[in-house]
Amino acid sequence: MAENTFSLKIITPERVFFEGDVEMVEFNTTEGEIGIYKNHVPTTVIVKPGILTITMPEEQKIAALHAGFVEILQDSVTILAEIIEWPGEIDEERAEEAKRRAEERLESKADGLDTLRAEIALRRAITRIQAIK
């Protein structure tokens, strides 16, 4: 491990999504955007849908991170993700269709509409589209 790197592990219910030494990781939390370097103040945060950026010494990777919890320690970060996808795993046509459906639901303001669920679906679709672009 290089002097300015820390261990990042991203786990989903199905697999270990990512594991390696990184210089920085950035993502959205319920409190706002966060960027983590080595020796960050230990904390736990809740993920909000958005783009996750992993910065390593030789490259940068992005993924669509939708939900989960993060444990931040000074020399390691563990993300327990409910849903996370590499751009190559995303079906752009399906994401565009999900975005359109969510927007239509929100615009309709139909009785019995679960607004929170529709807003989350919209955020997830937008995040997937952003990850592809």
Side-chain angles (χ1 to χ4, degrees):
M1 185 182 316
E3 188 176 312
N4 64 338
T5 64
F6 60 92
S7 171
L8 173 64
K9 189 170 189 176
I10 304 172
I11 304 165
T12 74
E14 294 83 32
R15 64 183 168 155
V16 175
F17 182 81
F18 178 89
E19 188 169 17
D21 294 335
V22 304
E23 294 177 337
M24 182 173 71
V25 63
E26 301 169 89
F27 54 91
N28 293 331
T29 75
T30 55
E31 302 299 314
E33 292 182 42
I34 187 170
I36 302 167
Y37 290 96
K38 185 175 182 171
N39 296 321
H40 193 283
V41 174
T43 190
T44 302
V45 296
I46 300 170
V47 169
K48 182 176 178 185
I51 299 298
L52 171 105
T53 304
I54 301 169
T55 303
M56 296 173 285
E58 301 298 321
E59 70 178 307
Q60 192 173 64
K61 295 182 177 225
I62 65 162
L65 177 59
H66 302 287
F69 298 91
V70 182
E71 177 188 50
I72 302 165
L73 302 174
Q74 289 187 326
D75 61 353
S76 68
V77 172
T78 302
I79 300 175
L80 303 174
E82 290 179 40
I83 304 169
I84 186 167
E85 303 159 299
W86 295 117
E89 298 172 332
I90 298 169
D91 180 333
E92 185 174 6
E93 189 175 307
R94 186 174 175 211
E96 291 284 356
E97 179 62 24
K99 178 180 179 268
R100 185 190 60 72
R101 281 192 318 271
E103 288 172 337
E104 285 176 1
R105 273 186 253 137
L106 288 168
E107 288 173 12
S108 75
K109 298 182 183 188
D111 288 340
L113 173 69
D114 186 342
T115 305
L116 180 59
R117 185 174 171 192
E119 288 172 350
I120 290 170
L122 179 59
R123 275 184 285 199
R124 285 183 178 172
I126 289 170
T127 297
R128 285 182 171 116
I129 293 164
Q130 288 174 336
I132 293 169
K133 310 275 184 211

